[in-house]
Amino acid sequence: MTLPLLIYRSLRQHALSTLVTAGSIALACGLLMTVWMVKTQSQEVFTSTNTGFDAVLGARGSKLQLVLNAIFHLEASPGNLELSDYEEIKKHPAVRTAIPLAVGDNFRGFRLAGTIPDLFTTVEYAPDHAFAVRPGGAFFKLGAREAVAGSFAAQQLKLKVGDTFHPYHGLNFNEESMHSETYTVVGVLQPTNTPADRVIWIPIEGVQKMSGHVASSANQISAVLIQLRSPAAGFALDQLYNKQGNRLTFAFPVGAIIAELFGKISWFDQVLTLVAYLVAVVAAASVLASIYNSMSARRRDLAILRSLGARRRTIFGAVVAEAAVIGALGATAGYVIYFALLTGVARLIQAQTGVVLDVFAGHPVLWICPLAMIALCALGGVVPAMKAYRTPVAETLAPVS
Amino acid sequence: MLEIADLRKSFPPAETGGARAEIVRVPAFALGAGEQAALRGESGSGKTTFLHLIAGILAADSGRITVDGVVMTSLGEAQRDRLRAQKLGYIFQTFNLLQGFTVLENVQLGMAFGGGVDKGRARELLGRVGLGHRLNHFPNQLSTGQQQRVAVARALVNRPKLVLADEPTGNLDRVHSRAALELIREVCREYGAALLLVSHDEEVLRQFEKVRDFKELNQAVQ
């Protein structure tokens, strides 16, 4: 009972500095865990997100841009390819499924993607997960001015079955570039936690033949999404399109291409991690400074405890334990900061990419970081504990008479 | 209960501002179990140092202090701490209560480092000294006399064999001083503890049957 009482009373007596110190530890701990989890989860989720496709065929250009455009619905298309290219690869024996994609329009900033109904009926966006519409909805029919809204797009735009809208030209919303065609929402997709959620899907000819588009676009598409019969086939097609040909780009495998992106921006993770480590060190130093500064005021109390029979090592242990408790308080509050930050970041990532991070996912860092923080704080408590350990009882308690 | 032989303590130049100075040189002193004695001494005579030596707060340069059959001067610091926690009670002139702790907690701490905390006994003793209704108050919410009573309860709660009181009434007015002294002596008697009190107040000293002049007892040249 004695040690907890000593720690409790000391923390209460120095409530303000305890709060400030625990707050800085919470910030450090929360930041570290957030940076770590965003880094690992986003890398894991992005590299595994392929919406069910193994490869993308597109105009000659950057593979990364092609994947970002066709799979993640980010970035502009590197260019168009002829419809005949789609027909050709569709018939290739190594290809199981080929789905054409045409982009170039939006509705209030949400991308319109033209495709064929086979995307919803023959492709699983993840193993054992097929696209489905919410009750009361349906997939669009080819040739009809119908749309199927992704769940996130529908939520943000408050679209429901039966609503109508005019597409806008370009990938960015500009009120003055409205197309005259009217589309009717016939279905809203169940959430897939993939970039498909941020897209409004319409029949492919809708994009190809939209009023105001150049006539040549009627026979062009932006990309072909491909499922292969075997991974080995991907290398053969890579050879065919990328090495032997010079007109098209075959992006394969999708995950490896995204992993390259993470490799390129790894410096950003490192900077964030370094900042978080620095915050952690500063927080531990603040524990040291806070307790050390309070030592002068507490000298008398420590001497009284010694006069009551408390041993030096008891006093030393109490101060180190107090620092560890401050660390534990901070680490606990760090979870609140972590959940708040990760929720914010996850929402941002979902809004920007459609990819959903799992805020409640477990990871060893979620217990290693708080424990390391507590240990670091306890270490920070050693210096003031040494000062407490050396408190001269007789001198401190009373003038010699 | 308490036996002292050839006790010496001096302080190095850093603390005395000159040559190493001998503060305490007591050839012999004894106090029986349950006995109550007072030492008369002026400020600066070394009586607090003497009590600190008996309490094991300071280590003697030489000599022998025996408390309840245990030779304290042969013990290491940690063992002296344990002995102090188990067998000694100390009442300070300035009470030395822990300001961040309640009355009850202050008294509980009196036994925390000895035989273990007995909350019931702490409550009982505080009731005995008339503070049963102030258990959860903090020292700064008490009068000086009440603080002194908390200090008395803290010194006795562990049923010590020996209570050392250093000018315990020095901060009290005459009326409270008399009452506090009576309380200390009474409770020591009830708990069977020997009492060694030092004071320069003749009014206090007059109440003791056994009074020794510390100037005569202490042969250190000052």
Side-chain angles (χ1 to χ4, degrees):
Chain A
M1 160 261 165
T2 310
L3 191 62
L5 177 66
L6 291 176
I7 294 167
Y8 170 68
R9 284 299 180 196
S10 178
L11 293 180
R12 267 198 72 157
Q13 264 186 296
H14 310 99
L16 183 64
S17 68
T18 300
L19 275 178
V20 171
T21 313
S24 61
I25 291 158
L27 192 63
C29 212
L31 265 177
L32 261 172
M33 292 192 291
T34 306
V35 168
W36 201 278
M37 288 302 280
V38 168
K39 184 173 76 173
T40 51
Q41 263 208 58
S42 57
Q43 195 154 354
E44 191 182 308
V45 173
F46 273 86
T47 51
S48 63
T49 295
N50 53 21
T51 348
F53 294 99
D54 303 310
V56 181
L57 182 69
R60 196 70 173 177
S62 151
K63 287 182 186 176
L64 179 60
Q65 189 184 357
L66 188 59
V67 169
L68 287 176
N69 178 60
I71 301 283
F72 288 90
H73 303 288
L74 300 167
E75 294 272 330
S77 165
N80 290 338
L81 63 164
E82 298 301 320
L83 204 52
S84 55
D85 294 322
Y86 160 62
E87 297 295 347
E88 188 184 316
I89 197 164
K90 189 182 168 187
K91 289 175 193 152
H92 195 286
V95 172
R96 183 151 55 94
T97 315
I99 303 288
L101 188 74
V103 295
D105 296 304
N106 79 92
F107 176 57
R108 300 199 177 280
F110 283 87
R111 185 173 292 208
L112 260 61
T115 189
I116 55 176
D118 292 19
L119 172 69
F120 305 117
T121 53
T122 61
V123 174
E124 288 183 340
Y125 63 85
D128 300 324
H129 287 80
F131 286 100
V133 285
R134 287 181 181 163
F139 296 123
F140 59 70
K141 292 187 283 293
L142 265 183
R145 288 194 177 158
E146 293 175 342
V148 171
S151 60
F152 185 76
Q155 181 203 351
Q156 295 296 306
L157 296 167
K158 296 185 173 46
L159 285 178
K160 56 185 187 305
V161 173
D163 287 350
T164 58
F165 65 90
H166 290 285
Y168 290 79
H169 187 66
L171 294 177
N172 298 314
F173 178 56
N174 177 359
E175 233 169 312
E176 290 168 6
S177 57
M178 190 174 80
H179 288 295
S180 58
E181 288 86 346
T182 303
Y183 278 81
T184 303
V185 177
V186 294
V188 173
L189 287 179
Q190 297 280 19
T192 63
N193 292 342
T194 70
D197 292 347
R198 299 177 59 251
V199 174
I200 299 171
W201 302 92
I202 63 171
I204 191 160
E205 65 273 18
V207 176
Q208 289 172 313
K209 297 173 183 170
M210 193 81 74
S211 59
H213 284 189
V214 291
S216 60
S217 69
N219 288 314
Q220 290 181 331
I221 57 173
S222 305
V224 183
L225 303 169
I226 294 162
Q227 284 182 326
L228 298 167
R229 292 193 190 281
S230 74
F235 297 105
L237 288 169
D238 177 59
Q239 185 74 16
L240 177 70
Y241 284 103
N242 300 332
K243 309 275 182 347
Q244 294 166 9
N246 59 4
R247 200 170 55 81
L248 299 173
T249 295
F250 184 74
F252 170 82
V254 170
I257 291 164
I258 292 299
E260 268 178 44
L261 170 67
F262 278 93
K264 281 177 190 167
I265 59 166
S266 65
W267 63 269
F268 185 66
D269 291 337
Q270 286 163 3
V271 169
L272 276 181
T273 309
L274 182 67
V275 169
Y277 278 135
L278 283 176
V279 175
V281 170
V282 169
S286 75
V287 172
L288 187 156
S290 151
I291 300 181
Y292 192 86
N293 288 339
S294 72
M295 274 303 141
S296 299
R298 295 161 65 182
R299 259 168 68 99
R300 193 166 185 83
D301 282 5
L302 296 174
I304 293 169
L305 289 171
R306 293 271 290 114
S307 77
L308 294 174
R311 288 185 229 177
R312 283 185 194 273
R313 69 174 187 215
T314 306
I315 298 293
F316 180 90
V319 176
V320 171
E322 185 183 326
V325 168
I326 294 174
L329 289 174
T332 307
Y335 281 113
V336 177
I337 291 181
Y338 161 71
F339 279 116
L341 282 176
L342 190 60
T343 303
V345 172
R347 280 188 186 162
L348 191 71
I349 289 176
Q350 187 185 14
Q352 296 299 316
T353 67
V355 170
V356 176
L357 303 188
D358 182 3
V359 179
F360 297 103
H363 191 278
V365 77
L366 296 180
W367 59 265
I368 290 173
C369 178
L371 285 183
M373 209 62 226
I374 293 168
L376 201 60
C377 289
L379 197 65
V382 167
V383 175
M386 285 304 294
K387 195 176 179 183
Y389 183 90
R390 293 198 197 102
T391 301
V393 184
E395 268 175 49
T396 310
L397 284 182
V400 174
S401 67
Chain B
M1 164 50 47
L2 171 67
E3 286 173 35
I4 290 170
D6 297 324
L7 183 66
R8 288 181 184 223
K9 179 66 183 176
S10 61
F11 289 99
E15 292 179 34
T16 54
R20 190 175 179 91
E22 189 174 53
I23 301 297
V24 171
R25 177 156 41 120
V26 175
F29 181 78
L31 193 67
E35 194 179 353
Q36 300 192 346
L39 289 178
R40 178 189 289 111
E42 296 304 318
S43 293
S45 61
K47 58 188 191 303
T48 295
T49 304
F50 182 57
L51 291 190
H52 282 169
L53 288 167
I54 296 171
I57 290 172
L58 283 175
D61 295 341
S62 62
R64 185 184 174 93
I65 301 171
T66 309
V67 176
D68 196 28
V70 180
V71 183
M72 179 177 271
T73 36
S74 67
L75 302 177
E77 188 183 56
Q79 290 168 305
R80 290 205 309 272
D81 291 337
R82 181 171 283 271
L83 185 73
R84 181 164 65 251
Q86 289 173 338
K87 293 182 185 288
L88 289 166
Y90 205 118
I91 305 171
F92 299 89
Q93 179 180 348
T94 50
F95 318 141
N96 282 336
L97 299 180
L98 291 155
Q99 297 300 315
F101 293 72
T102 64
V103 164
L104 183 61
E105 288 166 352
N106 261 284
V107 174
Q108 283 177 248
L109 283 171
M111 30 183 172
F113 309 107
V117 174
D118 182 341
K119 217 169 179 175
R121 200 196 310 163
R123 285 174 190 275
E124 182 191 316
L125 190 52
L126 280 164
R128 168 67 188 83
V129 299
L131 291 172
H133 61 301
R134 298 274 183 159
L135 299 180
N136 295 315
H137 285 65
F138 287 89
N140 61 6
Q141 296 171 313
L142 303 179
S143 68
T144 315
Q146 287 172 325
Q147 289 184 38
Q148 175 63 298
R149 281 187 267 159
V150 178
V152 171
R154 187 178 66 185
L156 283 148
V157 72
N158 213 26
R159 298 187 187 281
K161 300 288 182 186
L162 172 64
V163 172
L164 304 170
D166 187 2
E167 301 274 13
T169 59
N171 279 8
L172 302 176
D173 60 34
R174 201 147 290 280
V175 177
H176 283 103
S177 167
R178 178 174 281 273
L181 191 61
E182 275 171 16
L183 178 71
I184 293 168
R185 298 193 68 187
E186 221 174 278
V187 179
C188 280
R189 266 196 293 270
E190 277 175 33
Y191 280 71
L195 171 67
L196 178 61
L197 177 145
V198 297
S199 179
H200 66 278
D201 185 343
E202 288 303 325
E203 177 78 18
V204 170
L205 295 169
R206 263 199 295 278
Q207 297 184 45
F208 283 81
E209 295 77 33
K210 185 178 177 182
V211 179
R212 292 285 305 270
D213 202 328
F214 190 64
K215 216 172 181 178
E216 288 171 15
L217 189 67
N218 184 15
Q219 295 178 2
V221 179
Q222 292 184 44

